Every structure is written in C-alpha cells, then in structure tokens.
Amino acid sequence: DHVSEKTFAFALSSGICQVAIALALAFFVAHVVLLRAAVRGAKGSLGRSDDIGSFAHAFDRVSDRLERNAVVRHGWRQFAATTIRDGTSVRYTVRPQSFINLADARGELFGLKMMASIPGYFVGLGLLLTFIGLVLALDKAAGSTAAGSAEAMTESLNELLAAATFKFSTSIAGLGASLALALIFRTYQIWIEGAFDGFSRALERRMIFYPPQRIAEDSR
C-alpha cells in the first residue's frame, strides 16, 4: 500500500544508508581501532632500542609477550621457528611479513572475512527492492486497468509512475551505499596493512637478514 508513497520510499532508502553507515562505524571500531591498537602493543613489546645485540639478549622475553598477543601470536610462532640465534644477534631467514600480516589476522576474525563481501550485498538489496516495487506496481496497475474506465486507467498509470520513485530511490541507495562501503573498507584494509607493515619493519631493524642463498653458500 505504501509503494507509491514518496515518504515511504525515501524513508526506506534512508534506512539502507543508515545501515551502511552503522556497519562502517562498527567495522572501524572493531577491526581498525582495536586491531591497530593490538598491533601497536605488539610493536611496543619489541622495546624502544633498535640495537641488534640488546634485542638478541631480550629475545625470550619479547617472544613470551608476543605469544600472549591475540593478533600476532599465531604468525609470531611460525616466524620464530625460522630464526637462527647466536650470542650477539638473531638472524631471520624469512621476512616477518610472510607470517604476520592481514591474511593471518583474517583467519582469526570473522568480521574481516565478511568485510570484502558486504558492499555486494547492498547492490543485491537495491536490485531486490527495485524488482519488488516493480512487481507490486504492475499488480496494482493491472487491477485498476481491468475496470476499463479512463479514470481507472489514468489512476493506475499515476500509481505506476509514483512507484518508480520507490524503485529508483532504493536502487540508488543500495548502489550508493555499496560504492561508499567499498571505498571505506578498502581504506580500512590499507590502514590495517600499514600497522602490520610497521610492526614487521620494526622487527627487521632489530635482526639480521640471513637469506637461504647465504645459508647455501656457507654450507658449500
């Protein structure tokens, strides 16, 4: 009954946009602010000094702290297994970015798995409401046209045109929300990747890179 009312159409379109804004804020808090804070805490566990010898001496203590970090502990365990320790330094054979990254965190967090697909749902929602409005409008127009009078046909045509507001406004809201969320979520992903990259670079400054080619040459 409300398909041909502009107020209802605009209210529904506004509701779609409000849900998109709420999702953007929720993901920002849960998966950007808190995730970056956890990675920043892991970076703080490395210590303030970039001295290689000091880091080698405190490696066990740093490792214990990182294994208690909910975000990097899984990747850290894998990375620590690739390191070679001696009395004055810690050498790494694989870059920490290979283990401690956004993909590793995505495996632990349900929201990060969903984030990339959410914009597509709004496209589908906009199209679904568009076709629902079209079906209802055609049904009402067919019922009025069956009367056969010119007044009824004119009324049905007006209702059909009024229903276009519902169809196109919901479609625009869905597509617009999809585009906005795609841009916002991509920005979130860049921010999160930047936090992991900063942690990995800080870790590399405290260690010595020992590539497999160097190991093979020393063995030869």
Side-chain angles (χ1 to χ4, degrees), residues 14-181:
S14 175
I16 294 173
C17 295
Q18 291 174 32
V19 171
I21 293 172
L23 286 173
L25 292 175
F27 275 89
F28 177 75
V29 174
H31 297 296
V32 177
V33 175
L34 297 181
L35 198 60
R36 284 175 61 90
V39 176
R40 190 181 302 112
K43 185 177 180 180
S45 300
L46 301 177
R48 296 183 178 180
S49 175
D50 292 346
D51 182 66
I52 295 176
S54 300
F55 181 76
H57 180 72
F59 185 80
D60 291 333
R61 184 173 66 254
V62 171
S63 181
D64 290 339
R65 292 176 180 175
L66 293 178
E67 287 186 355
R68 292 194 297 268
N69 188 288
V71 176
V72 305
R73 60 187 176 189
H74 180 261
W76 170 256
R77 293 191 189 103
Q78 295 177 321
F79 171 72
T82 67
T83 59
I84 302 172
R85 299 177 58 187
D86 55 34
T88 59
S89 65
V90 179
R91 292 175 288 180
Y92 63 99
T93 57
V94 181
R95 298 193 69 185
Q97 290 91 334
S98 301
F99 303 101
I100 306 171
N101 49 46
L102 178 59
D104 184 69
R106 187 180 290 113
E108 302 292 332
L109 297 173
F110 178 80
L112 289 179
K113 297 177 183 178
M114 290 290 296
M115 190 166 66
S117 60
I118 287 178
Y121 297 151
F122 280 87
V123 175
L125 178 62
L127 294 176
L128 177 64
L129 291 175
T130 297
F131 287 112
I132 289 176
L134 180 61
V135 169
L136 294 177
L138 291 176
D139 181 69
K140 292 181 65 176
S144 299
T145 306
S149 63
E151 293 79 5
M153 295 179 65
T154 302
E155 182 181 356
S156 65
L157 180 60
N158 291 332
E159 290 180 354
L160 183 61
L161 294 175
T165 302
F166 175 89
K167 295 183 296 182
F168 292 119
S169 63
T170 54
S171 181
I172 290 172
L175 293 174
S178 174
L179 292 173
L181 286 178

